[in-house]
């Protein structure tokens, strides 16, 4: 092949520095050098010093054996193996560096065979790397578990046996860092929750629910590793609170906010409950606040915020009815009363919702959430004063629980 057609990749070359003396020696005896090895894409696998010797000698052609490689891992393994057994062999330091770089892709036994080094030496060289890999694997397993992946799915994703996944999850549930976190969490003591300003910088959209409130809601009404369902997940407050408090979560929304695709499923709850979702223990409903949210999320007539009151209530009735049939243990709803701009009549939605629950559910707690900022424009304030009307400035957060639970 043409000498200039050889493709050299530094990441496949295990040496700290090329040996210039060897290159010069080889250049003086070109005719006696064995062929280099390249793969089907002309990537150099073995024979760097021979290739450089040909360049130094001004040779435009070089003898090459083509070895087909089917993966990046196979390419790296072959390159290092050939460099370790013949020619200008790898030094101990170079072998150690390779073992430390590749321990995440190859087993101790594979590396020992490739480098002709004992397994005990490989283990000693890679102890810190293997610990870091194990920690990262464990973190990823728990992260996927919190996202409600099955153990079979987790095993396939991380490349670990199902039995090992089970052991790791069971060990974390019994001894994980969440135990210490629960010892230090300071819940709000009373049922009036107020903030001076929005506390969630990543979820500041219209009607967003403060993360502090979500953390307290989960603290009082769920246990670690309970499954939480939020079909109006928005910017991801529920996701962040569940991850912090180690609750499992299945969150969805009609339109998923960019950056949240990994944790929030795209699903329109108006079409029914998601088929792929495992049965949750706790459901949080933060629907678009009807006329308060008109046009805020979309111009779609099927958006809850753009419906008339009758259709809005019918949609919520269907959702709550399905949740009641499924016998969800706890269902929380947060919503603000609507005050019409034209006649200032108050529609207190939480009472409409209360009538949608079956007799199997009863209210276990009601929280009052005053807004910390003005929610009305100057014209409405002036009109309220002129008509002697009081303006509503709070949200209701009510939790229903299945009787007997």
């Amino acid at each position: 092949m043409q000498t200039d057609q050889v493709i050299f990749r530094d990441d496949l070359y295990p040496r700290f520095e090329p040996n210039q003396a060897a290159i010069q020696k080889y250049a003086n005896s070109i005719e006696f050098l064995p062929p280099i090895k390249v793969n089907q894409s002309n990537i150099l696998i073995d024979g760097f010093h021979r290739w450089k010797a040909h360049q130094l000698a001004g040779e435009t052609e070089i003898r090459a054996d083509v070895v087909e490689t089917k993966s990046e891992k196979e390419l790296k393994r072959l390159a290092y193996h050939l460099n370790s057994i013949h020619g200008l062999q790898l030094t101990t330091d170079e072998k150690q560096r390779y073992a430390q770089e590749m321990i995440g892709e190859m087993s101790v036994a594979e590396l020992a065979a490739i480098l002709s080094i004992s397994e005990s030496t490989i283990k000693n060289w890679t102890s810190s790397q293997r610990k870091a890999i194990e920690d990262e694997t464990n973190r990823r397993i728990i992260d996927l578990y919190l996202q409600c992946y099955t153990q079979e799915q987790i095993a396939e994703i991380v490349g670990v046996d199902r039995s090992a996944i089970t052991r790791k999850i069971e060990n974390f549930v019994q001894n994980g860092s969440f135990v210490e976190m629960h010892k230090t969490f300071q819940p709000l003591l009373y049922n009036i929750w107020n903030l001076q300003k929005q506390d969630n910088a990543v979820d500041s959209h219209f009607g967003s629910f403060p993360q502090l409130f979500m953390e307290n809601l989960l603290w009082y009404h769920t246990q670690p590793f309970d499954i939480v369902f939020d079909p109006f997940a928005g910017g991801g407050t529920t996701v962040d609170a569940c991850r912090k408090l180690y609750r499992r979560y299945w969150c969805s929304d009609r339109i998923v906010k960019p950056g949240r695709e990994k944790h929030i499923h795209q699903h329109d709850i108006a079409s029914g409950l998601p088929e792929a979702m495992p049965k949750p223990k706790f459901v949080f409903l933060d629907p678009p606040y009807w006329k308060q949210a008109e046009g805020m999320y979309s111009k779609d007539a099927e958006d809850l915020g753009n419906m008339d009151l009758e259709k809005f209530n019918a949609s919520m009735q269907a959702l709550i009815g399905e949740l009641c049939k499924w016998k969800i243990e706890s269902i929380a709803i947060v919503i603000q009363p609507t005050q019409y701009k034209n006649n200032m009549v108050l529609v207190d939605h939480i009472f409409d919702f209360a009538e949608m629950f079956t007799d199997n559910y009863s209210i276990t707690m009601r929280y009052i959430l005053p807004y910390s900022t003005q929610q009305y424009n100057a014209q409405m304030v002036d009109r309220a004063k002129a008509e002697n009307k009081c303006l509503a400035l709070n949200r209701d957060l009510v939790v229903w629980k299945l009787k007997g639970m």
Side-chain angles (χ1 to χ4, degrees), residues 263-297:
H263 300 283
I264 298 177
H265 303 266
Q266 184 172 9
H267 177 78
D268 186 355
I269 195 63
S271 65
L273 296 175
E275 293 183 1
M277 179 181 67
K279 182 178 179 179
K281 192 171 184 179
F282 181 86
V283 173
F284 175 68
L285 302 179
D286 184 7
Y289 297 169
W290 184 46
K291 288 297 179 182
Q292 305 163 53
E294 188 172 12
M296 292 289 188
Y297 299 101

Side-chain angles (χ1 to χ4, degrees), residues 3 39 42 150 155 165 185 203 232 248 254 270 278 297 304 314-315 343 361 366 374 397:
T3 306
N39 78 347
N42 291 344
T150 66
I165 298 294
F185 187 83
D203 188 9
F232 306 106
R248 302 178 70 192
R254 291 181 73 243
Y297 299 101
L304 287 172
S315 295
N343 56 17
Y361 283 84
R366 183 182 188 184
Q374 177 63 267
L397 171 60

Side-chain angles (χ1 to χ4, degrees), residues 23-130:
I23 294 173
Q24 184 63 58
K25 177 182 175 181
Y26 291 167
N28 294 333
S29 55
I30 291 291
E31 64 273 18
F32 301 109
L33 297 179
I36 62 172
K37 285 183 169 56
V38 297
N39 78 347
Q40 66 273 18
S41 301
N42 291 344
I43 297 174
L44 182 65
I45 297 174
D46 179 49
F48 172 81
H49 289 90
R50 281 167 276 159
W51 173 53
K52 286 297 176 184
H54 278 71
Q55 290 181 326
L56 182 62
E59 298 289 338
T60 58
E61 292 185 343
I62 187 171
R63 289 190 300 141
D65 293 334
V66 178
V67 181
E68 184 175 354
T69 55
K70 298 180 180 179
S71 66
E72 182 72 9
K73 180 178 178 180
E74 182 182 352
L75 177 61
K76 288 184 177 181
R77 177 188 295 161
L78 186 57
Y80 277 75
H81 177 60
L82 291 175
N83 274 276
S84 69
I85 61 174
H86 66 74
L88 193 63
Q89 295 189 17
L90 301 179
T91 66
T92 300
D93 286 343
E94 288 168 342
K95 290 182 178 182
Q96 181 175 350
R97 182 184 70 172
Y98 172 70
Q100 292 171 344
E101 288 178 352
M102 298 301 293
I103 189 62
E105 299 183 40
M106 300 181 191
S107 68
V108 169
E110 286 177 309
L111 287 169
I114 289 173
L115 300 176
S116 300
I117 294 289
S118 69
E119 291 190 18
S120 60
T121 299
I122 297 293
K123 288 180 180 179
N124 183 53
W125 283 349
T126 62
S127 59
S128 60
Q129 287 82 5
R130 286 185 293 108

